[in-house]
């Protein structure tokens, strides 16, 4: 993995990246770095792991006086992923075909119970309706096969931070966004699942990434 000042990252060969922006202590989302590394290893997709604590610079927020340098390093690496994979339209910063961004986060068991995954899309702002429907159906099917007692819910408690939508729609003149083909999901995984069912979680999301590449990324 390459190392920046606030993140470490690796390039991939799929139209997707996974990240764990809250992997560093204190206040870390425990085991999210291992989950992201596992998905990357199984699929060959790109990935980012935060190396700075959210108490110092939160990468899952719009840039402000506390996190400005860190957020821009994070955003620039995402841009490098898209450029190096040749995914941007000619003479444009917009994506020419669908792209998937899966942000792996951790929530307490007390939010929805110990066997739950919540997907945040800011009520559909971070992704297309088609990809949201596909993602939900595919994820639920994979979960049903591997961990049938686990619930998958959308946009209830952790709906996603506005900074996630900025990759799609932009945020002021300095960050125009990559357009309607950018599809981002904030995935909140209960502590029990992250700690005791980590390999199953890795396999589930690796399968989702692989199927996205096959379904949406044909030239």
């Amino acid at each position: 993995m390459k190392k920046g000042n606030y993140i470490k990252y690796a390039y991939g060969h799929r139209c997707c990246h996974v990240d764990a922006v809250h992997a560093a202590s204190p206040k870390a989302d425990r085991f999210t770095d291992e989950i992201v590394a596992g998905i990357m290893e199984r699929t060959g997709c790109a990935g980012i792991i935060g190396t700075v604590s959210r108490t110092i610079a939160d990468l899952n927020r719009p840039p402000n006086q506390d996190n400005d340098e860190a957020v821009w390093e994070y955003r620039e690496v995402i841009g490098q992923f898209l450029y190096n994979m040749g995914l941007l339209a000619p003479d444009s910063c917009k994506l020419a075909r669908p792209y998937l961004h899966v942000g792996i986060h951790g929530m307490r068991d007390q939010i929805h119970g110990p066997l739950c995954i919540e997907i945040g899309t800011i009520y559909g702002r971070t992704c297309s309706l088609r990809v949201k429907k596909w993602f939900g159906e595919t994820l639920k099917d994979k979960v049903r096969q591997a961990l049938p007692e686990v619930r998958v819910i959308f946009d209830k408690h952790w709906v996603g931070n506005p900074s996630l939508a900025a990759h799609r729609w932009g945020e002021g003149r300095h960050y125009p966004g990559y357009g309607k083909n950018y599809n981002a999901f904030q995935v909140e995984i209960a502590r029990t699942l992250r700690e005791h069912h980590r390999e199953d979680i890795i396999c589930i999301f690796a399968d989702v990434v692989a199927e996205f590449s096959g379904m949406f990324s044909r030239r």
Side-chain angles (χ1 to χ4, degrees), residues 126-144:
T126 66
C127 56
S128 73
L129 181 61
R130 179 190 178 203
V131 173
K132 181 179 180 181
K133 182 175 184 293
W134 174 88
F135 188 88
E137 290 175 351
T138 303
L139 178 59
K140 288 175 182 178
D141 180 61
K142 302 299 181 186
V143 168
R144 194 178 303 116

PDB file of all heavy atoms in Angstrom, residues 126-144:
ATOM      1  N   THR A 126     -26.859   9.739  -2.851  1.00  0.00           N
ATOM      2  CA  THR A 126     -25.480   9.324  -3.137  1.00  0.00           C
ATOM      3  C   THR A 126     -25.375   8.313  -4.276  1.00  0.00           C
ATOM      4  O   THR A 126     -24.271   7.887  -4.608  1.00  0.00           O
ATOM      5  CB  THR A 126     -24.829   8.712  -1.884  1.00  0.00           C
ATOM      6  OG1 THR A 126     -25.509   7.490  -1.551  1.00  0.00           O
ATOM      7  CG2 THR A 126     -24.879   9.673  -0.711  1.00  0.00           C
ATOM      8  N   CYS A 127     -26.509   7.911  -4.851  1.00  0.00           N
ATOM      9  CA  CYS A 127     -26.480   6.856  -5.853  1.00  0.00           C
ATOM     10  C   CYS A 127     -27.697   6.961  -6.755  1.00  0.00           C
ATOM     11  O   CYS A 127     -28.670   7.659  -6.433  1.00  0.00           O
ATOM     12  CB  CYS A 127     -26.454   5.481  -5.185  1.00  0.00           C
ATOM     13  SG  CYS A 127     -27.855   5.225  -4.052  1.00  0.00           S
ATOM     14  N   SER A 128     -27.656   6.243  -7.866  1.00  0.00           N
ATOM     15  CA  SER A 128     -28.821   6.207  -8.750  1.00  0.00           C
ATOM     16  C   SER A 128     -29.865   5.256  -8.179  1.00  0.00           C
ATOM     17  O   SER A 128     -29.548   4.351  -7.394  1.00  0.00           O
ATOM     18  CB  SER A 128     -28.417   5.748 -10.152  1.00  0.00           C
ATOM     19  OG  SER A 128     -28.124   4.356 -10.159  1.00  0.00           O
ATOM     20  N   LEU A 129     -31.119   5.441  -8.580  1.00  0.00           N
ATOM     21  CA  LEU A 129     -32.189   4.559  -8.130  1.00  0.00           C
ATOM     22  C   LEU A 129     -31.938   3.128  -8.589  1.00  0.00           C
ATOM     23  O   LEU A 129     -32.148   2.168  -7.831  1.00  0.00           O
ATOM     24  CB  LEU A 129     -33.537   5.053  -8.672  1.00  0.00           C
ATOM     25  CG  LEU A 129     -34.778   4.242  -8.257  1.00  0.00           C
ATOM     26  CD1 LEU A 129     -34.949   4.261  -6.740  1.00  0.00           C
ATOM     27  CD2 LEU A 129     -36.022   4.801  -8.944  1.00  0.00           C
ATOM     28  N   ARG A 130     -31.439   2.977  -9.810  1.00  0.00           N
ATOM     29  CA  ARG A 130     -31.176   1.640 -10.351  1.00  0.00           C
ATOM     30  C   ARG A 130     -30.101   0.922  -9.536  1.00  0.00           C
ATOM     31  O   ARG A 130     -30.260  -0.242  -9.158  1.00  0.00           O
ATOM     32  CB  ARG A 130     -30.754   1.747 -11.806  1.00  0.00           C
ATOM     33  CG  ARG A 130     -30.437   0.390 -12.456  1.00  0.00           C
ATOM     34  CD  ARG A 130     -29.790   0.573 -13.802  1.00  0.00           C
ATOM     35  NE  ARG A 130     -29.448  -0.710 -14.407  1.00  0.00           N
ATOM     36  CZ  ARG A 130     -28.517  -0.871 -15.330  1.00  0.00           C
ATOM     37  NH1 ARG A 130     -27.829   0.173 -15.776  1.00  0.00           N
ATOM     38  NH2 ARG A 130     -28.261  -2.070 -15.823  1.00  0.00           N
ATOM     39  N   VAL A 131     -28.999   1.613  -9.254  1.00  0.00           N
ATOM     40  CA  VAL A 131     -27.908   0.975  -8.515  1.00  0.00           C
ATOM     41  C   VAL A 131     -28.312   0.734  -7.066  1.00  0.00           C
ATOM     42  O   VAL A 131     -27.961  -0.303  -6.485  1.00  0.00           O
ATOM     43  CB  VAL A 131     -26.617   1.810  -8.607  1.00  0.00           C
ATOM     44  CG1 VAL A 131     -25.532   1.235  -7.700  1.00  0.00           C
ATOM     45  CG2 VAL A 131     -26.111   1.850 -10.052  1.00  0.00           C
ATOM     46  N   LYS A 132     -29.071   1.649  -6.473  1.00  0.00           N
ATOM     47  CA  LYS A 132     -29.530   1.432  -5.094  1.00  0.00           C
ATOM     48  C   LYS A 132     -30.391   0.180  -5.006  1.00  0.00           C
ATOM     49  O   LYS A 132     -30.228  -0.637  -4.079  1.00  0.00           O
ATOM     50  CB  LYS A 132     -30.321   2.644  -4.602  1.00  0.00           C
ATOM     51  CG  LYS A 132     -30.803   2.503  -3.155  1.00  0.00           C
ATOM     52  CD  LYS A 132     -31.557   3.732  -2.677  1.00  0.00           C
ATOM     53  CE  LYS A 132     -32.019   3.560  -1.238  1.00  0.00           C
ATOM     54  NZ  LYS A 132     -32.776   4.740  -0.743  1.00  0.00           N
ATOM     55  N   LYS A 133     -31.306   0.015  -5.957  1.00  0.00           N
ATOM     56  CA  LYS A 133     -32.167  -1.169  -5.972  1.00  0.00           C
ATOM     57  C   LYS A 133     -31.326  -2.440  -6.150  1.00  0.00           C
ATOM     58  O   LYS A 133     -31.508  -3.422  -5.429  1.00  0.00           O
ATOM     59  CB  LYS A 133     -33.188  -1.052  -7.101  1.00  0.00           C
ATOM     60  CG  LYS A 133     -34.170  -2.207  -7.196  1.00  0.00           C
ATOM     61  CD  LYS A 133     -35.208  -1.929  -8.276  1.00  0.00           C
ATOM     62  CE  LYS A 133     -36.277  -3.024  -8.327  1.00  0.00           C
ATOM     63  NZ  LYS A 133     -35.748  -4.316  -8.767  1.00  0.00           N
ATOM     64  N   TRP A 134     -30.386  -2.394  -7.088  1.00  0.00           N
ATOM     65  CA  TRP A 134     -29.535  -3.557  -7.328  1.00  0.00           C
ATOM     66  C   TRP A 134     -28.689  -3.868  -6.091  1.00  0.00           C
ATOM     67  O   TRP A 134     -28.580  -5.025  -5.682  1.00  0.00           O
ATOM     68  CB  TRP A 134     -28.619  -3.309  -8.526  1.00  0.00           C
ATOM     69  CG  TRP A 134     -27.626  -4.410  -8.717  1.00  0.00           C
ATOM     70  CD1 TRP A 134     -27.794  -5.560  -9.432  1.00  0.00           C
ATOM     71  CD2 TRP A 134     -26.324  -4.501  -8.123  1.00  0.00           C
ATOM     72  NE1 TRP A 134     -26.686  -6.354  -9.333  1.00  0.00           N
ATOM     73  CE2 TRP A 134     -25.767  -5.734  -8.538  1.00  0.00           C
ATOM     74  CE3 TRP A 134     -25.580  -3.659  -7.302  1.00  0.00           C
ATOM     75  CZ2 TRP A 134     -24.495  -6.139  -8.143  1.00  0.00           C
ATOM     76  CZ3 TRP A 134     -24.323  -4.062  -6.899  1.00  0.00           C
ATOM     77  CH2 TRP A 134     -23.782  -5.292  -7.318  1.00  0.00           C
ATOM     78  N   PHE A 135     -28.083  -2.847  -5.500  1.00  0.00           N
ATOM     79  CA  PHE A 135     -27.211  -3.036  -4.341  1.00  0.00           C
ATOM     80  C   PHE A 135     -27.995  -3.667  -3.192  1.00  0.00           C
ATOM     81  O   PHE A 135     -27.528  -4.619  -2.553  1.00  0.00           O
ATOM     82  CB  PHE A 135     -26.616  -1.691  -3.918  1.00  0.00           C
ATOM     83  CG  PHE A 135     -25.551  -1.787  -2.863  1.00  0.00           C
ATOM     84  CD1 PHE A 135     -24.230  -1.981  -3.207  1.00  0.00           C
ATOM     85  CD2 PHE A 135     -25.872  -1.656  -1.520  1.00  0.00           C
ATOM     86  CE1 PHE A 135     -23.231  -2.061  -2.227  1.00  0.00           C
ATOM     87  CE2 PHE A 135     -24.899  -1.731  -0.531  1.00  0.00           C
ATOM     88  CZ  PHE A 135     -23.581  -1.939  -0.890  1.00  0.00           C
ATOM     89  N   GLY A 136     -29.188  -3.138  -2.920  1.00  0.00           N
ATOM     90  CA  GLY A 136     -29.987  -3.670  -1.825  1.00  0.00           C
ATOM     91  C   GLY A 136     -30.389  -5.117  -2.054  1.00  0.00           C
ATOM     92  O   GLY A 136     -30.261  -5.958  -1.162  1.00  0.00           O
ATOM     93  N   GLU A 137     -30.862  -5.424  -3.252  1.00  0.00           N
ATOM     94  CA  GLU A 137     -31.291  -6.796  -3.548  1.00  0.00           C
ATOM     95  C   GLU A 137     -30.111  -7.761  -3.507  1.00  0.00           C
ATOM     96  O   GLU A 137     -30.226  -8.868  -2.956  1.00  0.00           O
ATOM     97  CB  GLU A 137     -31.964  -6.839  -4.921  1.00  0.00           C
ATOM     98  CG  GLU A 137     -33.318  -6.140  -4.955  1.00  0.00           C
ATOM     99  CD  GLU A 137     -33.894  -6.097  -6.354  1.00  0.00           C
ATOM    100  OE1 GLU A 137     -33.175  -6.461  -7.324  1.00  0.00           O
ATOM    101  OE2 GLU A 137     -35.073  -5.692  -6.486  1.00  0.00           O
ATOM    102  N   THR A 138     -28.997  -7.350  -4.083  1.00  0.00           N
ATOM    103  CA  THR A 138     -27.824  -8.228  -4.123  1.00  0.00           C
ATOM    104  C   THR A 138     -27.253  -8.455  -2.736  1.00  0.00           C
ATOM    105  O   THR A 138     -26.933  -9.591  -2.352  1.00  0.00           O
ATOM    106  CB  THR A 138     -26.754  -7.635  -5.052  1.00  0.00           C
ATOM    107  OG1 THR A 138     -27.319  -7.435  -6.352  1.00  0.00           O
ATOM    108  CG2 THR A 138     -25.551  -8.567  -5.173  1.00  0.00           C
ATOM    109  N   LEU A 139     -27.121  -7.380  -1.957  1.00  0.00           N
ATOM    110  CA  LEU A 139     -26.579  -7.515  -0.606  1.00  0.00           C
ATOM    111  C   LEU A 139     -27.481  -8.387   0.258  1.00  0.00           C
ATOM    112  O   LEU A 139     -26.990  -9.280   0.975  1.00  0.00           O
ATOM    113  CB  LEU A 139     -26.408  -6.131   0.021  1.00  0.00           C
ATOM    114  CG  LEU A 139     -25.901  -6.110   1.468  1.00  0.00           C
ATOM    115  CD1 LEU A 139     -24.540  -6.796   1.581  1.00  0.00           C
ATOM    116  CD2 LEU A 139     -25.820  -4.676   1.988  1.00  0.00           C
ATOM    117  N   LYS A 140     -28.773  -8.157   0.210  1.00  0.00           N
ATOM    118  CA  LYS A 140     -29.693  -8.958   1.017  1.00  0.00           C
ATOM    119  C   LYS A 140     -29.633 -10.428   0.625  1.00  0.00           C
ATOM    120  O   LYS A 140     -29.704 -11.315   1.486  1.00  0.00           O
ATOM    121  CB  LYS A 140     -31.109  -8.418   0.884  1.00  0.00           C
ATOM    122  CG  LYS A 140     -31.315  -7.093   1.612  1.00  0.00           C
ATOM    123  CD  LYS A 140     -32.702  -6.529   1.368  1.00  0.00           C
ATOM    124  CE  LYS A 140     -32.866  -5.177   2.072  1.00  0.00           C
ATOM    125  NZ  LYS A 140     -34.182  -4.566   1.827  1.00  0.00           N
ATOM    126  N   ASP A 141     -29.497 -10.705  -0.664  1.00  0.00           N
ATOM    127  CA  ASP A 141     -29.393 -12.087  -1.114  1.00  0.00           C
ATOM    128  C   ASP A 141     -28.120 -12.745  -0.579  1.00  0.00           C
ATOM    129  O   ASP A 141     -28.153 -13.882  -0.092  1.00  0.00           O
ATOM    130  CB  ASP A 141     -29.417 -12.136  -2.646  1.00  0.00           C
ATOM    131  CG  ASP A 141     -29.317 -13.560  -3.174  1.00  0.00           C
ATOM    132  OD1 ASP A 141     -30.205 -14.367  -2.867  1.00  0.00           O
ATOM    133  OD2 ASP A 141     -28.345 -13.855  -3.900  1.00  0.00           O
ATOM    134  N   LYS A 142     -26.995 -12.030  -0.649  1.00  0.00           N
ATOM    135  CA  LYS A 142     -25.727 -12.574  -0.148  1.00  0.00           C
ATOM    136  C   LYS A 142     -25.777 -12.786   1.367  1.00  0.00           C
ATOM    137  O   LYS A 142     -25.269 -13.796   1.884  1.00  0.00           O
ATOM    138  CB  LYS A 142     -24.564 -11.640  -0.498  1.00  0.00           C
ATOM    139  CG  LYS A 142     -24.386 -11.352  -1.978  1.00  0.00           C
ATOM    140  CD  LYS A 142     -24.099 -12.607  -2.771  1.00  0.00           C
ATOM    141  CE  LYS A 142     -23.912 -12.284  -4.253  1.00  0.00           C
ATOM    142  NZ  LYS A 142     -23.778 -13.514  -5.065  1.00  0.00           N
ATOM    143  N   VAL A 143     -26.375 -11.842   2.080  1.00  0.00           N
ATOM    144  CA  VAL A 143     -26.506 -11.956   3.529  1.00  0.00           C
ATOM    145  C   VAL A 143     -27.404 -13.140   3.886  1.00  0.00           C
ATOM    146  O   VAL A 143     -27.108 -13.914   4.806  1.00  0.00           O
ATOM    147  CB  VAL A 143     -27.052 -10.644   4.127  1.00  0.00           C
ATOM    148  CG1 VAL A 143     -27.464 -10.850   5.585  1.00  0.00           C
ATOM    149  CG2 VAL A 143     -26.002  -9.537   4.031  1.00  0.00           C
ATOM    150  N   ARG A 144     -28.493 -13.300   3.162  1.00  0.00           N
ATOM    151  CA  ARG A 144     -29.429 -14.401   3.419  1.00  0.00           C
ATOM    152  C   ARG A 144     -28.736 -15.753   3.289  1.00  0.00           C
ATOM    153  O   ARG A 144     -29.000 -16.680   4.054  1.00  0.00           O
ATOM    154  CB  ARG A 144     -30.600 -14.296   2.439  1.00  0.00           C
ATOM    155  CG  ARG A 144     -31.815 -15.156   2.807  1.00  0.00           C
ATOM    156  CD  ARG A 144     -32.940 -14.944   1.806  1.00  0.00           C
ATOM    157  NE  ARG A 144     -33.326 -13.552   1.726  1.00  0.00           N
ATOM    158  CZ  ARG A 144     -33.189 -12.800   0.622  1.00  0.00           C
ATOM    159  NH1 ARG A 144     -32.681 -13.308  -0.479  1.00  0.00           N
ATOM    160  NH2 ARG A 144     -33.564 -11.545   0.634  1.00  0.00           N
TER     161      ARG A 144
END
